[in-house]
Amino acid sequence: MKPLLRALAGETLDPPPVWMMRQAGRYLPEYRELRSQAGSFLDLCKTPEMAEEVTLQPIRRYGLDGAILFSDILVVPQALGQKLWFEEGLGPRLEPLDETADLSRLSTSAFHERLQPVYETLKRLSQSVPQEVTRLGFAGAPWTVASYMIEGGSSRDFFKSRLWAYRDPAGFEKLIDLLVDVTSEYLIQQVLAGAETVQLFDSWAGIWTDEGFRRWSLAPSRRIIEKIHEACPGVPVIFFPRGAGVLYQECAMESGAQALSLDSSVPLEWARDNLQPHVALQGNLDPACLMAGGTVLDEATRRLVSVLGKGPFIFNLGHGIDKATPPENVNRMLEVLRGKSAQ
Ligand code: CP3
């Protein structure tokens, strides 16, 4: 079995398998080159030959253990008919939904057809990703995707979304339920097209109260994970409830995921003692530490492996790599990881 899949099955590997969130992206000159040829980021996502090439770039450069599909979590609302565009420097923009929104304006009729390029990219990757490298699919969790749909883009605190959930929980639940259904279908199709595992990104899970977290982050994600396991027995799922704090423990017990991806704020010894007995762990090097490089990077890499590397573990970052990261810092991190992990 491939190293990353072995770790997801609960094995301890030395050195641990490694990949990085947002490993394909603007910190790589070869990405910037292809991105300028593609015209827009969305064209890059929706052109299978180019998305395939971008997926492979960090694998060629670094020999990572996981190749994550190149796409974006926001292609799901787009496939439901919500207008999506990316503005240079501003990030994603969508025509916002509000509490009075008629959800029937969102339509599932062309959903899979609009996502066909994503499935096609995964089919191509099944041929081109090296033997030992695991192919990862992904989607955003319902809460995180809903928050972008409601705010119309990124936000500091997703206040409008939370307000909707408090004022009109039944209406808000309809949107979440729709996202549970389509996201499950989407991830199952990704597996059928060649993804060997999938990661569910709940990037804004951490802004909820405990009750809000259980209802709007954990429960919908658990339903998706259940549906994937029913349709695709044996396919492991990685859940990333970023910012969940102590509630990571409930995720370990109840989400049904085989692995939890940890953000950088999760204390390592706590995670080792409270989470790792139940699930494989992934994470959680601070992307700023990777950008800083030097001895702080060496030390953080060694510490991470020495604490979490004695159980099922996938080395990764606590969030996506930043676009200003020097690419050679990744080489340094990998040298430390692969050369000294036995300490
Ligand atoms: O990990 C990978 O290499 C796979 C590709 C991937 C992208 N986005 C490519 C991307 C993945 C897994 C994502 C997930 C994603 N997208 C999330 C969840 C993870 C997280 O970071 O919390 C979220 C919230 C989004 C939404 C999104 N897409 C934002 C906020 C932005 C702007 C970010 C920025 O740095 O400008 C994007 C754009 C985006 N997605 C880029 C890439 C490579 C940059 C696009 C470009 O200009 O080339």
Side-chain angles (χ1 to χ4, degrees):
M1 216 198 282
K2 304 180 184 191
L4 200 145
L5 292 175
R6 285 170 57 194
L8 289 173
E11 264 187 68
T12 301
L13 281 79
D14 181 18
V18 51
W19 69 281
M20 296 181 295
M21 289 191 256
R22 292 278 184 90
Q23 61 192 18
R26 285 170 296 190
Y27 75 108
L28 291 177
E30 57 269 36
Y31 171 85
R32 292 197 299 271
E33 168 75 32
L34 203 71
R35 164 88 156 72
S36 68
Q37 284 172 30
S40 77
F41 168 65
L42 278 173
D43 288 335
L44 193 54
C45 293
K46 293 294 181 72
T47 311
E49 308 81 69
M50 286 201 258
E52 175 194 22
E53 172 58 24
V54 173
T55 304
L56 292 169
Q57 285 174 345
I59 310 302
R60 283 196 203 106
R61 190 187 261 261
Y62 301 120
L64 300 163
D65 293 287
I68 183 160
L69 162 74
F70 189 79
S71 181
D72 197 82
I73 63 167
L74 300 176
V75 299
V76 164
Q78 188 189 39
L80 291 172
Q82 196 175 7
K83 204 173 155 222
L84 167 71
W85 69 103
F86 282 81
E87 272 174 37
E88 220 55 63
L90 277 176
R93 305 296 300 275
L94 299 109
E95 264 171 10
L97 291 181
D98 62 33
E99 285 172 56
T100 59
D102 179 6
L103 291 186
S104 66
R105 270 195 0 230
L106 299 172
S107 160
T108 56
S109 61
F111 185 76
H112 287 304
E113 195 185 309
R114 289 182 178 140
L115 292 168
Q116 210 54 50
V118 173
Y119 308 141
E120 181 59 32
T121 303
L122 280 164
K123 283 184 194 148
R124 300 176 73 102
L125 288 168
S126 305
Q127 303 296 312
S128 53
V129 166
Q131 277 287 312
E132 284 296 289
V133 178
T134 299
R135 300 181 299 273
L136 295 102
F138 72 91
W143 154 245
T144 288
V145 172
S147 70
Y148 282 94
M149 294 173 81
I150 296 164
E151 308 286 334
S154 299
S155 153
R156 195 166 48 86
D157 53 13
F158 296 97
F159 205 89
K160 192 179 159 199
S161 312
R162 282 146 63 204
L163 197 58
W164 181 352
Y166 285 116
R167 277 187 178 152
D168 173 25
F172 187 73
E173 188 152 49
K174 285 195 187 117
L175 176 58
I176 294 290
D177 285 349
L178 170 67
L179 289 170
V180 166
D181 288 346
V182 297
T183 304
S184 310
E185 282 294 314
Y186 178 47
L187 289 171
I188 290 165
Q189 288 304 315
Q190 289 188 28
V191 170
L192 296 177
E196 297 165 288
T197 177
V198 293
Q199 175 154 330
L200 198 53
F201 286 88
D202 213 351
S203 304
W204 299 106
I207 69 166
W208 278 114
T209 62
D210 54 351
E211 289 185 327
F213 174 80
R214 290 186 187 106
R215 179 161 185 193
W216 303 120
S217 280
L218 179 52
S221 296
R222 178 175 51 218
R223 280 162 61 204
I224 292 173
I225 295 167
E226 232 168 55
K227 283 172 186 257
I228 295 169
H229 287 148
E230 271 165 30
C232 314
V235 172
V237 178
I238 307 167
F239 181 37
F240 181 36
R242 187 165 78 95
V246 295
L247 294 169
Y248 261 104
Q249 190 152 21
E250 287 180 31
C251 297
M253 307 303 292
E254 294 167 25
S255 69
Q258 281 56 52
L260 291 181
S261 198
L262 308 178
D263 66 75
S264 303
S265 74
V266 179
L268 301 185
E269 282 82 6
W270 179 85
R272 176 196 61 200
D273 296 342
N274 294 286
L275 307 178
Q276 213 169 23
H278 308 289
V279 287
L281 296 180
Q282 171 176 283
N284 70 347
L285 187 82
D286 187 342
C289 180
L290 177 60
M291 197 197 296
T295 52
V296 288
L297 173 59
D298 298 354
E299 282 160 18
T301 302
R302 287 199 193 98
R303 168 148 189 266
L304 194 46
V305 178
S306 79
V307 181
L308 294 182
K310 296 184 181 74
F313 177 53
I314 299 163
F315 193 97
N316 203 315
L317 308 180
H319 198 196
I321 189 169
D322 188 275
K323 62 178 186 295
T325 305
E328 58 276 15
N329 287 13
V330 177
N331 293 107
R332 181 155 181 166
M333 177 189 87
L334 292 172
E335 273 163 30
V336 174
L337 180 66
R338 289 169 176 162
K340 309 226 172 110
S341 63
Q343 292 184 345

